[in-house]
Amino acid sequence: MTPKLDRNKTAATQRRFAERFARLGMALADWSERWFPDSFVFALAALVIVFAGGMFLGSAIRDLIKDFGEGFWSLIPFTMQMAIVIIGGYVVASSPPIYRLIRWLAGMPRTPRGAVALSRFSR
């Protein structure tokens, strides 16, 4: 065989492997979507467990409902602060001068070990 045919055969083999790997990934994703519940189910189950625990410890149902309502709304300021931090970070990082700086810093390490060292010792 000539080297060109070997290269084509290798490329075809790699393509078949990638296709099989992609099919396996899709099958696993389909299986997970079918059998793993949505995160809302876990949040609801945790709410029921905590509510039942509160009743078991002797709190009145009316007090538990009142505490849940007050506690939920007390999280809103923190949630808004985190949203501002995320949006502000994105705005700063996507501005042209900071974006160029980030790209320059990301291009400095030449090996994975160098990338780990840069991120570890740059503090």
Side-chain angles (χ1 to χ4, degrees):
M1 279 189 155
T2 63
K4 185 175 183 180
L5 291 175
D6 285 340
R7 223 176 299 131
N8 289 341
K9 187 176 180 182
T10 302
T13 302
Q14 288 176 346
R15 223 176 3 262
R16 278 195 305 272
F17 178 74
E19 289 170 359
R20 286 183 186 156
F21 198 67
R23 280 197 303 271
L24 174 66
M26 292 301 293
L28 287 173
D30 290 342
W31 183 83
S32 296
E33 287 177 2
R34 179 174 181 184
W35 294 105
F36 281 92
D38 190 28
S39 59
F40 179 72
V41 174
F42 289 110
L44 197 57
L47 178 68
V48 169
I49 290 170
V50 169
F51 193 82
M55 286 177 25
F56 178 74
L57 292 174
S59 294
I61 294 175
R62 172 177 273 162
D63 292 339
L64 289 171
I65 293 171
K66 183 178 83 89
D67 291 340
F68 172 78
E70 290 173 357
F72 177 78
W73 292 110
S74 69
L75 294 174
I76 296 297
F78 176 73
T79 305
M80 291 300 109
Q81 289 171 0
M82 291 301 105
I84 294 290
V85 167
I86 291 170
I87 293 168
Y90 173 77
V91 168
V92 169
S94 62
S95 68
I98 301 300
Y99 181 76
R100 283 192 300 272
L101 175 67
I102 291 171
R103 297 289 294 183
W104 178 75
L105 287 173
M108 286 177 64
R110 299 289 176 219
T111 63
R113 187 174 289 192
V116 169
L118 177 69
S119 65
R120 174 63 186 110
F121 298 116
S122 63
R123 296 177 191 196

